[in-house]
């Protein structure tokens, strides 16, 4: 069985290891944060939310990909309720909790601005 002095030495050693690991991680991140790192991050974010319906972070999202600035109507497929229509602006729209929806799609209709 260890006494408190031995336990204290082990905890200090563990803290030093964690500090060294954290420092190495920060240094590695800083060296990759140049223009190439920024481009990679942007492309990963673009891949994270594809056009249309997706789920991430526990939420349901609809990404309206457009270049004309149109506002569209989507149909929300609700899990435990009535399906509804909703208008979304260009870009990402958080719809709600992911467990509330199964899917969402463009109805073919535009919404007024």
């Amino acid at each position: 069985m260890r006494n408190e002095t031995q336990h204290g030495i082990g905890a200090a050693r563990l803290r030093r290891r964690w500090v060294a690991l954290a420092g190495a991680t920060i240094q590695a991140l800083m060296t990759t944060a140049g223009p190439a790192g920024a481009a990679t991050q942007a492309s990963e974010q673009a891949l994270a939310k594809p056009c249309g319906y997706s789920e991430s972070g526990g939420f349901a999202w609809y990404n309206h990909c457009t270049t004309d600035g149109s506002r569209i109507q989507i149909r929300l497929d609700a899990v435990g309720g009535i399906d509804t229509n909703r208008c979304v602006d260009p870009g990402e729209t958080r719809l709600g909790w992911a467990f509330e929806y199964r899917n969402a799609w463009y109805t073919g209709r535009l919404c007024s601005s």
Side-chain angles (χ1 to χ4, degrees):
M1 179 173 280
R2 291 183 167 193
N3 62 31
E4 290 187 26
T5 306
Q6 290 172 327
H7 179 68
I9 292 170
R13 189 176 300 144
L14 185 60
R15 271 193 298 272
R16 283 193 303 270
R17 286 183 183 170
W18 277 107
V19 168
L21 178 61
T25 303
I26 290 169
Q27 185 177 7
L29 290 172
M30 289 176 66
T31 59
T32 60
T40 301
Q41 289 174 352
S43 65
E44 287 174 359
Q45 289 174 349
L47 292 174
K49 300 261 188 334
C51 297
Y53 179 82
S54 66
E55 295 178 3
S56 69
F59 292 100
W61 299 84
Y62 192 89
N63 189 10
H64 173 37
C65 301
T66 184
T67 56
D68 66 3
S70 61
R71 197 162 185 256
I72 63 167
Q73 183 184 78
I74 61 171
R75 181 76 172 180
L76 296 167
D77 184 7
V79 172
I82 299 171
D83 295 351
T84 58
N85 292 338
R86 180 171 172 182
C87 293
V88 295
D89 294 319
E92 297 173 4
T93 301
R94 188 167 78 176
L95 303 173
W97 294 106
F99 65 83
E100 295 177 319
Y101 302 105
R102 279 186 286 260
N103 201 355
W105 59 90
Y106 174 48
T107 64
R109 295 183 179 174
L110 296 176
C111 296
S112 58
S113 300

